[in-house]
Amino acid sequence: MIPCAPVELRAPAPKSASFFSPAPTDQLPGYAAELEASPRGWVTLPLWCVWVEPPGFDMWSKRWNDAVEISLSTWGTYLKLQRVNNPADAHLRLWRRNPPLQGGRASNGRALLSFENVQRGGKLKIEPLVDLLISPGIRKEAIRATSLHELGHGFGLWGHSSKSTDVMAAMPGPKPVTEPSSRDLSTLRWLYSQPSGFAE
Ligand SMILES: [Zn+2]
């Protein structure tokens, strides 16, 4: 199959009837025990097709773009990513916008996950589709920390760490985390050693 082949058809996938329950394991690394699988299994892919909202001519969108590109290349050290020019061809899309208020509260970023029936190269399969909303109106370091965190969700880390020094901290500490910790990486390695719900 051609990596990130253009999508010919796309439609929301029907709700999964069966529920995936990961086998309980003791002694999981990092915060792997906090991760939640989807009803279809772990949301991991051997290759992620990624689209980033292109910057405009203003300084703010360029600044946003610089910051999210750094976060993408950071995760790209550990995962296989391929860029696509068309948002319709992506598994994961980064949007430069403020997430809508949730319960009356504003946040800097949000990760939205859905499942779609997708036909690429004549082959029909169910794929995850992740939309990340990252606010442009925050400090550059905050855009980096926010995008790194939301990308972590996007690449399958659906859960949070109790330690504020981890990228996937539930409660951010005083210092923005702009590099994955050893706990982030051991959790990611464990996740990608599990069977994917979306393998070929
Ligand atoms: Zn989060």
Side-chain angles (χ1 to χ4, degrees), residues 24-61:
T25 331
D26 298 332
Q27 301 287 319
L28 295 186
Y31 45 88
E34 308 305 320
L35 297 184
E36 225 180 295
S38 80
R40 299 176 188 279
W42 295 108
V43 189
T44 55
L45 289 174
L47 170 76
W48 288 90
C49 308
V50 176
W51 176 85
V52 178
E53 185 167 353
F57 294 103
D58 61 298
M59 184 184 116
W60 300 103
S61 67

Side-chain angles (χ1 to χ4, degrees), residues 130-144:
V130 182
D131 283 306
L132 304 182
L133 313 180
I134 312 290
S135 174
I138 49 178
R139 288 185 307 124
K140 189 168 179 182
E141 224 189 6
I143 301 175
R144 277 188 61 188

Side-chain angles (χ1 to χ4, degrees), residues 29-32 35 157 182-191:
Y31 45 88
L35 297 184
L157 295 170
S182 59
R183 279 163 48 85
D184 288 312
L185 295 179
S186 62
T187 305
L188 188 76
R189 263 194 302 273
W190 175 85
L191 175 65

Side-chain angles (χ1 to χ4, degrees), residues 36-158:
E36 225 180 295
S38 80
R40 299 176 188 279
W42 295 108
V43 189
T44 55
L45 289 174
L47 170 76
W48 288 90
C49 308
V50 176
W51 176 85
V52 178
E53 185 167 353
F57 294 103
D58 61 298
M59 184 184 116
W60 300 103
S61 67
K62 287 207 180 75
R63 192 188 66 146
W64 181 90
N65 195 258
D66 288 348
V68 303
E69 286 292 350
I70 295 170
S71 298
L72 260 180
S73 61
T74 300
W75 285 122
T77 317
Y78 310 102
L79 299 167
K80 231 172 139 190
L81 313 182
Q82 187 179 317
R83 304 299 287 270
V84 295
N85 295 323
N86 183 349
D89 295 337
H91 301 121
L92 184 146
R93 310 187 284 204
L94 276 149
W95 302 93
R96 187 176 63 248
R97 60 195 63 180
N98 293 319
L101 295 183
Q102 204 168 39
R105 287 184 52 198
S107 58
N108 293 340
R110 191 156 307 148
L112 307 166
L113 171 66
S114 56
F115 301 103
E116 304 229 299
N117 268 318
V118 174
Q119 185 180 309
R120 296 181 194 258
K123 255 176 75 180
L124 192 67
K125 60 184 284 207
I126 291 175
E127 291 186 351
L129 176 64
V130 182
D131 283 306
L132 304 182
L133 313 180
I134 312 290
S135 174
I138 49 178
R139 288 185 307 124
K140 189 168 179 182
E141 224 189 6
I143 301 175
R144 277 188 61 188
T146 301
S147 54
L148 202 62
H149 179 99
E150 301 304 336
L151 280 166
H153 286 316
F155 292 132
L157 295 170
W158 293 102

